[in-house]
Amino acid sequence: MQFGVMLELRHLKTLVALAETGNLSKAAKRVHLSQPAVSHQIRAVETHYDIELFERKSDPLRLTAAGQRFVELAYQVTRSVQDGERDLARIAQGQAGQLRIAIECHSCFDWLMPAMDAFRERWPQVELDLVSGFHADPIGLLGENRADLVIVSRALKRPDVAFHPLFGYEVLALLSRHHPLTRKPYVTAGDFKTETLVTYPIPDDRLDLVREVLLPARVNPPRRTTELTVAILQLVASGRGVAALPGWTVQQYLDRDYVVWKPVGKTGLHSRLYAATTTGAARLAYMEEFLRIMREVSFSTLQRIKALE
């Protein structure tokens, strides 16, 4: 057994992610690494200390006694490091500030609100606020000093704007359990021609299905709109329309077989979510931490998402 200085902060963060998710794949997403890289990190720690941290055949992974002790250490160290970095940032930049958030994603509140709550505990002097209402140009709010962070689905380059990847996801076609299209392996633009498409009340260029699939195919189905995700799903389940929503927003309904999902196209319709800030705001310590917390909360609470580089 070789007890030298081997353990690094990255190992501890990986251990925390594994302990909280109980799954190699989910832990890898949390720490933005590949699954083999996570396995290599854990194996390196186990080899160095000649111990096993997890029971390999358990699902979810279960900690051994040694693994439990390492995770306790990991929590202590990572929290101390975060507290220290936060204190240093406050000394350098001051504690007060404001963080006004605008979103174009109707279903983002599921993970955004817990992220805001966690941030408030760590930066109580930073005033958090949501910018309400529909905005034709949400990125423009940054330049107009009406928002400090905007959550968007496309990184369209603008001067003095930085885009921070949050996560990737698949947009799923949603059908009632008795819909004839459920017999197909995937749906295409033509399948929507005679369907009523149920969407949020937002412009077509904000709807991935319309922008990426229907408009190029010159398909313009009848529409029905509602602001609530649950209302969209109720209309779909009752056979009064079809929809296309991010998988992470509807997983609980898929688990209950409330509706049926199909890929859009043979390879699926994939999209991304970004946080946009000004380049200056991106360097603020509390902005950096809020971005980190958003990723941490989303990967610990959502399914059907993947890490972005």
Side-chain angles (χ1 to χ4, degrees), residues 230-287:
V230 65
I232 292 177
L233 292 168
Q234 193 277 327
L235 290 169
V236 170
S238 60
R240 288 179 284 174
V242 299
L245 295 175
W248 56 270
T249 68
V250 297
Q251 186 61 49
Q252 60 178 314
Y253 299 95
L254 300 180
D255 291 341
R256 305 198 322 253
D257 294 324
Y258 188 64
V259 294
V260 175
W261 74 274
K262 293 292 176 180
V264 178
K266 185 178 293 186
T267 59
L269 174 59
H270 300 274
S271 190
R272 299 181 169 205
L273 212 59
Y274 300 88
T277 68
T278 63
T279 52
R283 293 190 289 269
L284 293 170
Y286 63 78
M287 183 68 78

Side-chain angles (χ1 to χ4, degrees), residues 280-298:
R283 293 190 289 269
L284 293 170
Y286 63 78
M287 183 68 78
E288 291 178 355
E289 182 152 15
F290 186 66
L291 291 168
R292 182 187 63 77
I293 289 173
M294 282 197 295
R295 296 188 187 102
E296 183 178 289
V297 169
S298 60

